[in-house]
Amino acid sequence: MTIRTFRNVLHCFSIHRLWNLVVIFISYQISRLTHRSIVWGFPYTLTIEPTNRCNLQCPECPSGNGELVRPLGSMDLNDFIKIVNQIHRHTFYLQLFFQGEPFINANLREMICYAHKKRVYVAISTNAHFIREEVASQLITSGLDKLIVSIDGLTEESYQNYRIGGKLSKVLDALRILRDSRLRVPNGNRMEVVLQFLVTKQNEHELPQLKQLAEEYHASVSLKTIQVYSAESALVFLPSNEHYRRYTMKDGQLHPKSKLKNQCVRLWERSVITWDGVVVPCCFDKNTRYPLGTVHESDFFSIWQSDAYHGFRKVILSNRRSIPMCTNCTEGLKVYR
């Protein structure tokens, strides 16, 4: 965590939110030991999906490779406000991204402003193809805390190998615009810019240049290991450096390095809401295979404490391997290097 991140997160703390963290931790530990779903707090982190539409075709992303089978659309601003009004006393960290490119939602700035008004820390991840002068200025004045810019290659060839349909030149233009805008606007450096680099076989040799690029654009660096879904994809994308792999290969089979224990703290500390209001247990449920309710039919906290949610947690605590999406999960594994 950078100093700027720590400062912005600290600004969002309150006694009520701190107490919520404590009871989440205690109830999770009791649940883990007793194999019962005991949930005393509410999620301190929430992921809300502005849209699941995307302008790129990244090969290991369901939004880009055509494997996202749920309807495409964007969240309505009034629905977003309704959710934030329900959760802001407990939740202090909002990830305003899931599947898709957030800037496709025309109401993104208004969403950031409203969450900031409620003293919620807001982070967005983007491919940066929609960031122009006007957009950059709006971001800086919106109260956005962290902007994660995906830059998975430092040449057009390595970048477009994964970010299919994109252009590195557009990302670099966006970074220049962001840097210059942050320098012009008073307190512009409050917003943290992070260069997220998905380490692959095609770009791992570029890592030494990344720090210099980040310094040029007044950004920090986050190295992320790639998630793949087949041994064939692993052969194409996994880097040769084991340090940047989240899998091992044995007898042609792909195995995550994380041990699949009958526990998962994510079910106690965070949740995900899709653009159309469906609540799912975590960010690995990209196709809403395990819907737990919808905020259009019930308030979020009723869903959080519902029989469906408790039932899902009980399965995690007793037979996690029976849930297919969990077999490719990184819980307990260091994904960011």
Side-chain angles (χ1 to χ4, degrees), residues 54-249:
C54 193
N55 55 312
L56 302 186
Q57 297 87 45
C58 304
E60 293 301 301
C61 174
S63 291
N65 63 17
E67 293 181 2
L68 198 72
V69 298
R70 56 190 174 94
L72 298 177
S74 296
M75 178 171 282
D76 181 80
L77 179 59
N78 290 329
D79 291 336
F80 176 82
I81 291 173
K82 177 182 174 182
I83 295 168
V84 172
N85 285 343
Q86 292 176 27
I87 59 90
H88 73 88
R89 291 189 69 238
H90 312 278
T91 301
F92 68 85
Y93 196 105
L94 174 62
Q95 292 190 154
L96 201 48
F97 61 93
F98 181 31
Q99 297 300 287
E101 166 53 48
F103 282 90
I104 289 177
N105 189 315
N107 295 314
L108 186 65
R109 184 183 185 276
E110 286 75 15
M111 291 176 172
I112 299 168
C113 289
Y114 193 79
H116 177 70
K117 179 181 175 182
K118 296 295 184 179
R119 289 182 60 206
V120 177
Y121 183 100
V122 183
I124 288 178
S125 181
T126 177
N127 59 46
H129 280 59
F130 294 95
I131 295 178
R132 300 175 296 277
E133 294 278 357
E134 181 182 357
V135 175
S137 298
Q138 290 176 348
L139 279 180
I140 293 168
T141 58
S142 69
L144 181 65
D145 294 283
K146 180 186 289 187
L147 183 69
I148 304 166
V149 177
S150 296
I151 182 167
D152 306 324
L154 301 186
T155 66
E156 287 291 355
E157 181 182 5
S158 60
Y159 178 83
Q160 294 181 28
N161 183 76
Y162 188 79
R163 296 284 166 178
I164 297 173
K167 288 187 177 181
L168 176 63
S169 58
K170 287 190 175 182
V171 180
L172 296 178
D173 283 345
L175 290 173
R176 175 186 53 79
I177 291 168
L178 285 165
R179 179 198 59 198
D180 295 347
S181 298
R182 290 161 74 203
L183 291 173
R184 284 196 305 269
V185 177
N187 202 30
N189 278 329
R190 180 191 177 280
M191 183 184 77
E192 181 179 11
V193 176
V194 180
L195 302 188
Q196 181 171 280
F197 197 82
L198 193 66
V199 185
T200 66
K201 181 185 295 186
Q202 291 77 21
N203 66 22
E204 60 182 318
H205 64 284
E206 298 173 339
L207 288 175
Q209 307 166 44
L210 187 60
K211 184 177 180 181
Q212 181 179 352
L213 186 74
E215 290 175 352
E216 179 182 349
Y217 293 111
H218 299 188
S220 56
V221 171
S222 176
L223 304 180
K224 186 178 181 181
T225 58
I226 187 171
Q227 181 182 22
V228 296
Y229 296 89
S230 67
E232 291 76 17
S233 293
L235 291 173
V236 174
F237 291 111
L238 289 191
S240 57
N241 190 334
E242 285 288 338
H243 183 67
Y244 299 113
R245 288 186 174 207
R246 63 172 78 173
Y247 306 92
T248 58
M249 293 285 290

Side-chain angles (χ1 to χ4, degrees), residues 35-39 262-268 270-271 279-285 288-293 303-327 329:
H35 300 286
R36 296 169 57 206
S37 178
I38 300 169
V39 184
N262 288 331
Q263 61 187 55
C264 183
V265 69
R266 298 184 187 197
L267 274 297
W268 276 255
R270 62 188 69 185
S271 189
V279 178
V280 294
C282 77
C283 61
F284 281 84
D285 192 3
T288 61
R289 303 295 189 192
Y290 304 93
L292 302 170
I303 298 171
W304 179 251
Q305 293 287 1
S306 66
D307 290 343
Y309 225 131
H310 282 297
F312 189 87
R313 294 187 187 102
K314 288 176 183 177
V315 175
I316 290 289
L317 293 168
S318 60
N319 187 17
R320 190 176 170 206
R321 192 171 292 278
S322 66
I323 300 175
M325 73 174 182
C326 292
T327 60
C329 181

